[in-house]
Structure formats: structure tokens, C-alpha cells
Amino acid sequence: MPSPCHPGRSLRLLLLLLWLLLAACSSQSGRYQFTLVHMNDTHSHLEPVAVTLTMQGETVTAQLGGFARLKTVIDQMRTEDRELLFLHGGDVVQGTLYFTLFNGLPEFDFLNLLGLDAMTFGNHEFDRGPAAIPAWIKRSRFPWLSANIDFSAEPALAGLVKPYLIKEIHGEKIAIIGVTTETTPQTTMQVGSIVFNNAVESVRKQVTALEAQGINKIIVLSHLGYQQDRELAEKVAGVDIVVGGHSHTLMGDTSLLSKIGLLPETVYPTELKGADGKRVLVLQAWQWGHFLGRLQARFTPDGEIEQYSHSAVIPVGSSFVRNDQAVQPGTPAYQAITATLEHTGIARIVAEDPQMVAALAPYAQKVAAYRTVAIATAAEDLVRGLNRGPGPLAADSMLAAVPRAQVAILNYGGIRRDLLRGKISAGDLLEVMPFNNSLVLVDLTGAELLKSLEDTVAFMLVKFGSDTMNMPFVSGIRFSVQTSAPYGSRIEHLQIRSDSGGFTPIVPTQRYRVVVNSFVAEGGDGFGVIKSATGFKSDTGIIDSDSMQDYLQKLGTIRNTAEQRISMLPAN
């Protein structure tokens, strides 16, 4: 009996055949083609991450990414094009215990093993200040690029970074210009004397210099964010491809990715017209090594993109949990899951490279052991409740991790268990905050802050009933709640802590910097105002449980807070 034809596998074979045909034609016509592979915002996720997908209305937990799987995929891609260009869009570090324990060194060792060609700086490469960066650059067997960062006042860095790389691929020169978000000083701990210049003007200057050298194929390797990449692509003539990062944008075909519960923000790639009217492609590869982008582009002799194809990969492990039960290989349920993955044309089961697994093992063992280490002592039971339990401490830890923020808001469901009297381990904290959410900075007006609290209280009343005491956890503000009042009038006496330590009323028109977790930033638990806020917004990459752990370690002994941050008013 013939084996069934999987659309995903057939699509990949068709793309490969098309690419070989294009290559054959190009060799006869003077056209030029190359393969670009890229990722961004891996944030120290060297190991796979458990991600909850949705398939045919049921939740399925799968392992996505991990550098051992990425190595397998990249090696496969190199069998098709040995001179492929492999780029990273920044934020290599910050986000897991690998960074906490090993100061970023293994991240660059494993990028070396993947055969990376170049990276740009993400804002989180500055999380430990300028002093940490030279060792990371020297450890890397690839260049770090940035055209808009002025390192001249930091002598240890000034000679280590170039604005661009010129690389010969298949006999022709391609230029890669690095660029980093100008908001870096506001989204990391400290940048020393480093200056971040205008990204658009910096790129335009380098494009002019490269074109003067006769180079007509130019890639911008960006850590600006998707919307800013679009703006740059439309403003700077001479750019062919923008390979992005920073905004963690999932790109792809909604009709296919929705089969596994993923909703891309836009298509992959985004095709625009540049300032010179020529085609520009904008790319990004989601986050944490969960997505490996691949673009194959053919250029005219004048350096314009004539044709392109794409075949990105979401690397998935071979074990699954459905409805809290392990799915056994070979069963109908397992076959249904693998068939659904295949039908996406992008997500597929990938074996881990054994040599990469072996290289990672010593680090993984130390990380696992660290999870059992006691980090603090609870002097009393911390049981979840209004102004009690781990929640207020978690909100305090968010402010401590991002000192530029004035307010922290944590959704009630972000705290999953109590902490009982006695020793608290890292493993305990991962059960309290298991979602691996990152901390996100967002600017809200006083009116938006008030409405966001009104909305989440309304959400909680629907979810838990009108007599609920389940409220979000906050730090830096205090307010009263009248649950029996009509929507829009339930939050009273909203005040913010001043620099002197006292509290003053929120001003509706004033902007306040708020730190939330990534779930809240996406509108979870009724926080739609925060999702749609049009002011400054930036994912810090700091994981919520990591910030909680750092905070509790500094405290040593923990207790329930004595502050009445939220007061419940009696019914009228």
C-alpha cells in the first residue's frame, strides 16, 4: 500500500526543485541567487521550551526549538546550499538560567557550533553593562555589527565592532549592515558612555558608502522591531532585505499556522517598495529559536530582487502531551498530531543533533541542580489572597528588575500556587510562576491605567462572580475597588507612589511607565487597553520567575506584605 502524501513534505520538495531550477536558469542568464537563514531573540533558550498548541480544538503541549534541533535543521539546509548566509537579529542573551548562571558564555559557544555568519546587537546585549560585552565578542567566531552605535567613549569596545560586513557568496559580494534600537538606554540596565544614533540616517550613510564600492546587494540586520523595519525599508534607498528582531514577530500563513493554534501577525516575508521604488523584503523569526527563517532570493545583474521563495522551519520535538496525558507514539492520537504538523508546511518533528546534546549536557546538569537550591526562607505561609501570598512580592520583583518602571501589574492567574513556611527553592518558584513570561515595559496615560484596571476587574467579576476577592497584584500604586458599582466606576482613589515614598493621585493626561508580563501585554485577563496602547512598548526579555528569584534571594527571608495596595469597599 503506498504511503500517504503529506502536503508539508510535498511543499518542501517542490520548493527545493524550484530553487534548483532557478539556479540552473540563473547560471545561464547572469542572474545571481543565494540562501539566507536567520533567527533572532533567542534569549538564552539553549534548551527546548514546552509550548501549548491547539489542534482540532484540543490543547497539545510540544517541545519547540532548542539549539540541538536547530543544528540538525541548519545542517540539512547546508546540504542544499553550502554557502548559505546565516544571521542573528540580536538579543542572544537574557531570559533563562543559562544566562543567570554562566554570564552569557555558552550562548556564543553554541552559536559558533551552529556556524553563524554575523549578528547585530540587541538591547539585551547591554543588560550587564559595557564591561561584559568584549568577552562575548572575542568568544564569537563571527562579527558583531552595528552602524548606529557609537562606542568611541568605551575603548574596550571601540575596535571590536564594525558597521557592516562584506561577504562573498557564490562569487559575488553581499553587504550586511547592523542596526540596533535607539531605545536601548531605556530598556536595559545601563549602557555606560555608549551613544545610540538615528537608525535610518546611520543605515543610509552606510548604504551610500557600500554603493560607492560597487556593491548592489545589501541586507540590513536589524534589532529595531517589525514596524520600524518597515519604516526603514521604505525610507532608505538601496536596501534589498531587512532581517529583523526585537518585536518577536511571528510571520507566516495564517491559514496554515492556525491549524496548530499559532496566529502570525503578518505574512513571511513582507514585501514592500523601497524609497527607490524597488522591491524590499522584511523578515523576522519569532523568538527563542522556535522559528528558523529561510529565504532564497534571485537578483538581476543590477542588484534587484527578481524572484524569491521561502521555506522556514518550526522545529518540534517528538513527545507530546494532550489534555494533560502523554501521547504514545504509534497511536491514532499521535499520528493525528504529526499529520497536523505536516499540514502546516512549516512545523515538523526534528531530531536533536547528538553532538550538540552532548556539548550542552554539562550546562544542563548544572541548571537542573540549581533548580533545587534553596534561595530564600518563608517566615510564614504565603497563601494567595488579596494583598497576600507570592503575588505582591512578584509585583515588587518586577519593579526591582526594571527600575525605570513606576508601576507593576501582574494578572491574578500569573501566580499558580502558595509558598509555605520554610525553605523556598528555585523549583518552587517555577511552580509559582511556570509560564516563562517575559517582562514588558509599556507607557500608559493615567486614563489608560485606570481603564485597564476597570477592564480587568470586570473580567474577574465575570470569571469568579460578583463577590470575588481575586484581584491583580500591583506594586507602585494603590486603589480601592467597589465591585457592586457599574463598570467605569469601580476603581476609586487610584494613587501612585512618589519619589518621596508617599502616594499622590494619578493624573489622567500624564504618562506612566508600567511593567507587566507578556501575557498581560497581549491583552490577557481583560487587559486589552495595554495591548492596544500606542505609546512606548518594549519586551525586556527578562523572565518573570527569574526576576522573582533574584528579588527573593536579596531579601533572604520573606513575609506577606503589610501594605493594603487594593482595598475592597463594601457594597452601597
Side-chain angles (χ1 to χ4, degrees), residues 488-558:
S489 303
R490 292 173 179 141
I491 305 297
E492 300 181 15
H493 313 301
L494 177 57
Q495 298 178 317
I496 188 168
R497 193 189 305 275
S498 66
D499 292 339
S500 64
F503 283 85
T504 58
I506 288 284
V507 178
T509 57
Q510 185 172 328
R511 286 199 171 271
Y512 300 94
R513 183 144 293 180
V514 182
V515 58
V516 298
N517 64 30
S518 49
F519 174 77
V520 169
E522 288 299 314
D525 281 6
F527 285 102
V529 170
I530 293 178
K531 179 179 181 179
S532 59
T534 58
F536 173 86
K537 185 181 291 184
S538 177
D539 193 316
T540 71
I542 300 170
I543 300 302
D544 53 6
S545 57
D546 289 348
S547 67
M548 178 72 152
Q549 179 168 322
D550 290 344
Y551 185 67
L552 296 194
Q553 281 181 311
K554 291 173 183 175
L555 291 178
T557 300
I558 60 175

Side-chain angles (χ1 to χ4, degrees), residues 219-235:
I219 298 169
V220 174
L221 183 55
S222 158
H223 196 83
L224 300 179
Y226 175 73
Q227 292 301 329
Q228 291 75 17
D229 286 343
R230 287 180 58 103
E231 293 173 12
L232 184 147
E234 292 173 334
K235 290 179 179 179

Side-chain angles (χ1 to χ4, degrees), residues 18-35 217 240-241 279 281 295-301 303-309:
L18 175 62
W19 181 241
L20 292 173
L21 179 61
L22 287 174
C25 294
S26 298
S27 64
Q28 299 172 11
S29 64
R31 265 58 177 169
Y32 171 79
Q33 69 282 320
F34 85 113
T35 302
K217 290 174 280 294
D240 299 295
I241 301 170
R279 175 186 281 163
L281 302 180
L295 177 80
Q296 292 131 330
R298 186 171 81 171
F299 290 80
T300 67
E304 292 187 45
I305 296 176
E306 185 176 55
Q307 285 183 306
Y308 63 88
S309 62

Side-chain angles (χ1 to χ4, degrees), residues 441-453:
L441 283 172
V442 57
D443 280 0
L444 300 176
T445 64
E448 289 173 327
L449 178 57
L450 175 61
K451 188 174 188 308
S452 69
L453 294 171

Side-chain angles (χ1 to χ4, degrees), residues 184-462:
T184 295
Q186 288 80 49
T187 58
T188 190
M189 297 304 289
Q190 59 100 1
V191 298
S193 300
I194 297 168
V195 176
F196 291 76
N197 297 313
N198 180 274
V200 170
E201 291 303 320
S202 298
V203 171
R204 185 178 286 123
K205 175 182 177 182
Q206 299 304 327
V207 168
T208 300
L210 289 164
E211 289 181 332
Q213 299 177 52
I215 295 172
N216 63 6
K217 290 174 280 294
I218 297 175
I219 298 169
V220 174
L221 183 55
S222 158
H223 196 83
L224 300 179
Y226 175 73
Q227 292 301 329
Q228 291 75 17
D229 286 343
R230 287 180 58 103
E231 293 173 12
L232 184 147
E234 292 173 334
K235 290 179 179 179
V236 181
V239 172
D240 299 295
I241 301 170
V242 181
V243 178
H246 189 49
S247 55
H248 298 211
T249 302
L250 175 61
M251 306 175 74
D253 186 331
T254 300
S255 67
L256 296 175
L257 287 177
S258 62
K259 295 179 184 297
I260 56 174
L262 297 179
L263 297 176
E265 296 180 38
T266 186
V267 296
Y268 178 94
T270 298
E271 182 177 331
L272 304 171
K273 282 190 176 181
D276 50 8
K278 297 178 181 179
R279 175 186 281 163
V280 185
L281 302 180
V282 178
L283 321 172
Q284 198 171 141
W286 199 14
Q287 64 182 9
W288 300 356
H290 292 174
F291 185 112
L292 194 64
R294 177 165 65 165
L295 177 80
Q296 292 131 330
R298 186 171 81 171
F299 290 80
T300 67
D302 294 332
E304 292 187 45
I305 296 176
E306 185 176 55
Q307 285 183 306
Y308 63 88
S309 62
H310 55 88
S311 49
V313 175
I314 295 176
V316 184
S318 59
S319 61
F320 305 99
V321 174
R322 189 181 69 172
N323 298 331
D324 297 324
Q325 297 292 323
V327 182
Q328 297 303 316
T331 62
Y334 191 93
Q335 292 169 349
I337 290 170
T338 57
T340 302
L341 293 173
E342 282 285 343
H343 286 147
T344 67
I346 181 172
R348 67 174 191 256
I349 294 176
V350 175
E352 293 183 304
D353 179 84
Q355 292 182 326
M356 191 72 91
V357 171
L360 186 60
Y363 297 103
Q365 290 166 4
K366 291 178 181 177
V367 168
Y370 185 73
R371 295 184 194 277
T372 67
V373 173
I375 59 171
T377 301
E380 58 186 356
D381 290 347
L382 281 78
V383 179
R384 287 167 292 172
L386 188 68
N387 300 313
R388 292 181 57 79
L393 287 169
D396 290 344
S397 75
M398 294 162 68
L399 279 186
V402 191
R404 292 183 181 86
Q406 300 162 277
V407 179
I409 303 176
L410 173 63
N411 60 303
Y412 175 79
I415 301 298
R416 307 306 295 178
R417 56 159 278 196
D418 305 327
L419 288 173
L420 302 182
R421 184 174 181 273
K423 295 293 183 182
I424 306 298
S425 72
D428 291 327
L429 286 189
L430 291 174
E431 292 180 358
V432 171
M433 307 175 77
F435 299 113
N436 219 31
N437 287 318
S438 54
L439 302 185
V440 178
L441 283 172
V442 57
D443 280 0
L444 300 176
T445 64
E448 289 173 327
L449 178 57
L450 175 61
K451 188 174 188 308
S452 69
L453 294 171
E454 284 278 358
D455 287 348
T456 194
V457 168
F459 176 89
M460 300 304 282
L461 292 176
V462 171

